[in-house]
Amino acid sequence: MIYLDNNATTQVDPAVLEEMLPYLQEQYGNPSSAYSFGKRAANAVSKAREQVATLLKCDPSEILFTSCGTESDNSAIQSALLLDPDRKHLVTSKVEHSAIIRHGEALARRGYEVTWLDVDSEGLIDLDALRQAIREDTAIVSLMWANNETGVLFPIAEAAEICRSKGTLFHTDAVQAVGKIDIALENLPINLLSLSGHKLHAPKGVAALYVNRKTRFNAYLIGGGQENKRRGGTENTASIVGLGKAAELAAAAMEDENGRVRELRDRFEQGLLELVPSVQVNGHRTRRLPNTSNLAIEGIDSEGMLLLLDQRGVCCSAGSACTAGSLEPSHVLKAMGYSIDRARGSLRFSFSRFNTESEVAQVLEIIPRAVEKLRSMNRGFLAA
Ligand code: PLP
């Protein structure tokens, strides 16, 4: 198998698994227990908090562990809405992950007002439009750091500064950015930031929310006093330990490994652009994650392509999702103003440190053949 779908999820790093195993076996104490067996688990959770804080360059007390990126996103928004019930307006963008979009839509049905910022054809927002969208009653602005489909990076530092100057809370869904680009929260006026373990070689079902120490926070999950009373529920010790280790590895890999991943992605993308006629890159060419390549391939349908590539052991994602039998073009590519045909012919390839040069060489043989096959089938279909 050649796995080029690392924005969907990543392989658990063997070093992460090794670190977790004792907490799935003999070290099963509850971190809240008063005896030393419980304390050992509590210490492991504390160490993980420090490792995540080191990666983000913030204070460990600003990290709270959650169950997934979706929970982090939902908690951030809900906390802001509870802080000031008179603020019933939110600002976000049209290209967010469903963890923000569906939540925003649900809030709109409950009487909140949501401003959905547009993006241009390169996938970027207009900061003036953001400035104009913020009102006296805006509870929170939520903008993703990196887009999961195109990898495009929003100007988060500038957006956060605009929100700070207007006295509005700012949340960023950094689920795709953390571990892939350098993030230094100590220098940024960001109130809340979401990340998710399974995007950076930790297991699924563990994530974190950064809450700036000066930002008031209302718990979303109310129960025991875990996570400094900010998130009820017995800690998922083993997975939290895994997330801590993954953060440590990501911090160590940031310079060398991410440079290598960028080289692999660029070699792949350049190769495909040279070998296959009528291919275009979706999204800004430089302001994007080093691991993501979203390509529009004329004359193919991405679902057919996924099947062909699957038969040859290549995993990647389509620019459309098959819902209820109809091919719904990606909301991200649609918001960028691309035609339905371009969205339907788009594929996302996303790399990680486990990909190799030999894999890139192999897919540069497999994909052009698959494109040619689909194109000739489609030509035959049209001629018939
Ligand atoms: N936000 C973004 C940008 C994502 O890509 C994802 C996952 O694909 C999520 C949020 C949700 O994260 P999780 O799967 O951990 O709930």
Side-chain angles (χ1 to χ4, degrees), residues 7-8 68-70 73 97 99 144 146 148 173 175-176 196 198-199:
N7 286 7
C68 58
T70 303
D73 283 349
H97 186 268
M144 67 201 319
N148 45 301
D173 173 345
V175 164
Q176 292 292 345
S196 180
H198 73 107
K199 310 291 184 180

Side-chain angles (χ1 to χ4, degrees), residues 31 83 91 133 152 158 283 365 371:
L83 280 180
V91 180
V152 169
E158 291 87 338
E365 299 224 332
V371 171

Side-chain angles (χ1 to χ4, degrees), residues 153-214:
L153 300 168
F154 274 169
I156 289 303
E158 291 87 338
E161 182 49 37
I162 290 171
C163 294
R164 191 203 56 75
S165 71
K166 292 193 172 249
T168 306
L169 285 181
F170 181 72
H171 165 253
T172 181
D173 173 345
V175 164
Q176 292 292 345
V178 171
K180 295 175 189 156
I181 56 167
D182 194 27
I183 291 178
L185 289 175
E186 62 195 357
N187 304 324
L188 293 168
I190 290 175
N191 300 99
L192 302 138
L193 173 146
S194 306
L195 66 98
S196 180
H198 73 107
K199 310 291 184 180
L200 64 146
H201 305 290
K204 293 156 192 64
V206 65
L209 178 68
Y210 157 85
V211 184
N212 181 281
R213 77 200 85 158
K214 293 188 190 135

